[in-house]
Amino acid sequence: MKILYAASEALPYISTGGLADVVGSLPKAVKAELGADGDVRVVIPLYPSIREKFYDKLELVSEITVKLSWRNQYCGIWQTKSDGVTFYFIDNLYYFERSMLYGNYDDAERFAFFSKAVLELMAEVNFYPDILHANDWQTALSVIYLKRKYGHLAEYRGISALFTIHNIDYQGVFDFSILGDVFELPEWDRTVVEYNGCINLLKGAIVCADMVNTVSPTYSREILTEYYSSGLHHILRQSDAEGKLTGIINGIDVEYYNSANDPEIVANFNCDDLSGKALAKADLQRVCGLPEEPGTPVIAMVSRLAAHKGFDLVKRVIEDVIGHNNVQFVLLGTGEPMLERFFTDLSYRNPGKVCVKLEYNKSLSKKFYAGADMFLMPSKSEPCGLAQMIASQYGTVPIVRECGGLADTIRPFNEYEGTGNGFSFRNYNAHDMLHVIEYAISMYYDHSKWSNLVKNAMKIDFSWNVSAKRYIDIYNRIG
Ligand code: GLC
């Protein structure tokens, strides 16, 4: 089976969020599962930082010209191999040498170019996959082009498309004035991409793809409702009625996130010997400039500072959490300026109790995952969420709101039966969250219950093993 993954980011090359984790690890898991029967390849843009960091590993395969409406654009194709998976990189300095991956004025054109390049790449390297697996709005056009422009060509006819929605909030919405001029789509394709008076690339990919999935079963049901769908529920209900919509929980790379041999944390540990976790906690407290108190519970958040991550709940009751309880609160992440200011201010007012680091820093995040006792993730919506799984693997107990992938991965602790791997609350309500945080703190002081809970959390298998097989089932079904 031949599979080509298209995405705008992938670890270890470039990452701004969970998408990169998935695109960096799912293809490898699928390749491992398929063995010699699998030819698995990935294509992402060549951002300048990739060129700098991986220069000696990259090899130039070809240089072509990609046509986009009236433009003829240079397109370099680079490649490298890792764990049996070929990674291609699409090179064009004009489009990809930017300080931000997304949020540029011409994102529509940049990712239209990339999506077109994905299809041209197939011809240039003579790799016509059975499955094109595209991810999020940035590669939505590759699915639309496959079905509307290339599908009639003999080589492309056999390619089926799976489109994965990692977050319905980002849809690629643009004005119709660029339909032909930038997207190179004819008037008769207007209805394919039209939604709510605009071009909506996510909608176009949903209707064109042979199958659509989201990154957890619960989220695939939630987005059929207005509350979660960011306006697309009508389209998704139709896909659901056609049997085209499903949900598969993400795995995490359990080799990269492995408390037992992670070189980026100060001491290693496993669920039979947690002594290293105490050292990791002291290290986190030191890095955060907090008193090194082994007995004080540390609550961590590692998150994009975005409203849908549940920060309005945190803002509402964080003073109660730290005021009424002997706890430390640490936060790592960047995002909305209002939130950055709120939490910086909170840390100034609570020295020795609160530490806020406004950074996107993968290796520092490991110290947070490993060193904290509890991991707070009260998202308003959460397609899958990886941080709660990562935290679990490092024995840091998640406290989550029951939505999306959080509901699918965290089972509430039952202190009487000793079951469960975290804490959760249902309603999007700050005081429900406060209550659960305080319950978690009370459990922390019961040493035998807490160590039982930490072990439960660490023992859960969050690897790709099961989910990679589910993806292969879909590839077989549509391929
Ligand atoms: C997006 C989602 C997140 C998910 C990730 C990977 O970032 O917001 O919930 O885990 O994609 O699929």
Side-chain angles (χ1 to χ4, degrees), residues 182-361:
V182 174
F183 292 151
E184 205 188 75
L185 290 171
E187 269 305 310
W188 59 80
D189 277 342
R190 175 180 273 264
T191 53
V192 174
V193 289
E194 177 163 21
Y195 197 67
N196 213 6
C198 298
I199 297 176
N200 186 315
L201 296 180
L202 207 71
K203 181 256 174 173
I206 292 169
V207 299
C208 286
D210 297 287
M211 195 73 190
V212 176
N213 82 297
T214 65
V215 287
S216 69
T218 296
Y219 192 65
S220 75
R221 303 292 97 200
E222 287 172 343
I223 55 173
L224 302 177
T225 67
E226 198 174 337
Y227 183 83
Y228 286 102
S229 73
S230 282
L232 281 181
H233 47 287
H234 292 300
I235 296 298
L236 289 158
R237 281 180 201 167
Q238 198 175 322
S239 301
D240 191 45
E242 291 164 11
K244 260 178 60 171
L245 179 67
T246 184
I248 302 179
I249 196 80
N250 286 331
I252 56 171
D253 185 336
V254 290
E255 278 163 36
Y256 180 69
Y257 296 113
N258 183 351
S259 61
N261 63 18
D262 188 337
E264 291 182 291
I265 56 177
V266 73
N268 293 120
F269 52 93
N270 57 48
C271 60
D272 297 323
D273 178 6
L274 286 166
S275 51
K277 183 155 173 79
L279 299 174
K281 177 168 176 176
D283 182 49
L284 174 65
Q285 289 170 320
R286 199 161 40 241
V287 167
C288 288
L290 299 173
E292 284 175 44
E293 298 166 355
T296 302
V298 177
I299 305 176
M301 291 185 79
V302 176
S303 174
R304 226 172 335 120
L305 301 186
H308 74 261
K309 294 290 181 184
F311 281 104
D312 35 2
L313 304 190
V314 182
K315 277 169 68 180
R316 180 69 182 81
V317 296
I318 190 65
E319 305 265 7
D320 299 285
V321 174
I322 56 182
H324 301 167
N325 304 282
N326 180 32
V327 290
Q328 295 173 347
F329 175 72
V330 295
L331 167 70
L332 173 66
T334 59
E336 291 168 16
M338 286 254 283
L339 289 170
E340 293 194 349
R341 277 198 294 276
F342 175 87
F343 285 104
T344 308
D345 181 59
L346 181 78
S347 69
Y348 288 160
R349 281 185 286 113
N350 296 279
K353 283 205 111 173
V354 174
C355 169
V356 172
K357 292 204 180 282
L358 300 177
E359 290 175 55
Y360 181 81
N361 183 331

Side-chain angles (χ1 to χ4, degrees), residues 15 89 124 140 142 163 177 203 231 264 272 321 337 356 412 446 465:
S15 162
F89 302 87
E124 188 57 23
S142 68
F163 184 67
S177 57
K203 181 256 174 173
E264 291 182 291
D272 297 323
V321 174
V356 172
D446 187 324
N465 288 345

Side-chain angles (χ1 to χ4, degrees), residues 16-23 136 164-168 170 214-215 219 250 304 308-309 377 381-389 405 464:
T16 70
L19 171 67
D21 282 83
V22 173
V23 184
D136 278 353
T164 300
I165 302 169
H166 294 262
N167 194 332
I168 197 88
Y170 304 98
T214 65
V215 287
Y219 192 65
N250 286 331
R304 226 172 335 120
H308 74 261
K309 294 290 181 184
M377 212 166 159
S381 72
E382 195 59 75
C384 176
L386 302 173
Q388 82 280 13
M389 296 192 254
W464 274 106

